[in-house]
Amino acid sequence: VLSCKKDPFRADLSGSKVTISITRFEDMLFSADPSGLERYIPLWDKELGIFFRHFCHITGIGSTENPEFANRLKDFTSDYHNYLVYKRVKEVFPDLNNLNTELNSAFSYYHHYFPDRTIPRVITYISGFNQSAITDDSLLAVGLDKYLGRNEELYRQLGIYNYLLTNMYPEKIASDCMAFWGETEFPFNDSINNLITNMIYRGRLLYYTSAMLPEQADSVKWGFTGADLEYFNAAEKAMWAFLVEHKLLFNTDKLTINKYVLEGPFTKDFGRGSPARAAVWIGYRIVESYVKKNPDLTLSGLMEEDDYMKILNQSAYNP
């Protein structure tokens, strides 16, 4: 079991060490003289490439081609609220040494399991609480303003729901980064899009994230609390029986699927005491069972298997 602090694939990383260096774009942006922003724009466009364009899109600044672009970027950096957020980010993250250490380790595991795949460039930014991450070909960027801490006063002022605050703290960044990168590199790819294929796809991402951060507690890397995991372990049989009896596994309705696999205060059909994303955890258990039944399977073999029904059938899952 992955939660017992031992990587099931027992990786020897001696030949797979990776060194990540994190570019702090929020520092570049907020330390630049607003009156001379025009001269930085071509430099950032060249140095940061696709990231700079994505950043300007998600913050609503728009295209660098727009004649108003420099003024809009200036408005973003001189906005008092954005400045307060930047100041707060610098208080919470005066340096990124811990994150750097965690990502160096996680990407060393990644390189060990997927030696032919790209190690992305890592950039941090603040987006005015717009988007937690930006991923693209060889790019992984993370919005530090989404990880200031569960009790962050700015979040209270914004009225962010409690169930979202659970995972908005600094120690969550590394596992979120690996999960975002996993989704980018191994997108949902089954011809059948129903509840069970989504459960297995997302459960497999949990399994992959565990292999990237084998030393980290399940509650941190999966975003479930300790109480959530206790609930799942106790209710596994009942939850699975409910999905089977109500013929929900092969349901293709998007709203139904989302109800079971996305963030929320709880999983409605399992009762108010049930954590959200309960079906994703079941998906993880199915994947775990499939791996146990196939001892010669590599992690890359697992991640490249796009027939999720095959995973279900061969797992012989029966809680």
Side-chain angles (χ1 to χ4, degrees), residues 13 15 24 30-31 49-50 55 65 108 113 116 131 150 193 196 199-200 214 216 226 238 244 255-256 264 266 270:
L13 296 185
R24 295 195 72 167
F30 283 90
S31 62
I50 195 78
F55 171 81
E65 308 297 313
S108 294
Y113 291 122
D116 299 330
Q131 199 166 308
R150 292 167 175 155
N193 189 357
I196 187 65
M199 284 165 61
I200 290 170
Q216 207 175 69
V244 172
L255 288 174
T256 304
F266 51 87
F270 294 157

Side-chain angles (χ1 to χ4, degrees), residues 87-102:
K87 198 163 155 280
R88 190 70 191 105
V89 163
K90 289 302 282 182
E91 287 165 7
V92 178
F93 302 101
D95 62 62
L96 296 177
N97 297 343
N98 287 350
L99 178 60
N100 213 198
T101 301
E102 287 180 312

Side-chain angles (χ1 to χ4, degrees), residues 1 20 22 27 33 50 67 95 99 144 148 155 157 171 175 194 216 221 233 241 255 259 280 283 293 295 307:
V1 180
I20 299 274
I22 302 173
D27 285 349
D33 174 7
I50 195 78
D95 62 62
L99 178 60
L144 296 179
L148 296 175
Y155 296 160
Q157 290 166 11
E171 293 75 18
S175 55
N194 57 24
Q216 207 175 69
K221 62 194 169 200
N233 280 303
L255 288 174
K259 185 168 71 171
V280 176
K293 291 273 189 301
D307 184 347

Side-chain angles (χ1 to χ4, degrees), residues 36-53:
L37 268 187
E38 287 85 351
R39 71 172 184 272
Y40 291 103
I41 292 166
L43 299 174
W44 291 339
D45 201 26
K46 184 167 182 277
E47 191 195 328
L48 304 167
I50 195 78
F51 162 76
F52 188 57
R53 295 190 276 285

Side-chain angles (χ1 to χ4, degrees), residues 22 29 44 57 106 115 136 185 204 217 223 231 233 240 242 288:
I22 302 173
L29 188 58
W44 291 339
H57 173 70
D136 204 313
E185 289 288 284
R204 187 176 66 172
Y231 179 97
N233 280 303
W240 180 249
F242 181 92
E288 193 180 41

Side-chain angles (χ1 to χ4, degrees), residues 7 18 55 69 88 91 185 221 243 250 262 295 304 311:
D7 178 359
V18 164
F55 171 81
F69 179 78
R88 190 70 191 105
E91 287 165 7
E185 289 288 284
K221 62 194 169 200
L243 295 175
F250 304 106
L262 294 187
E304 279 152 21
I311 293 176

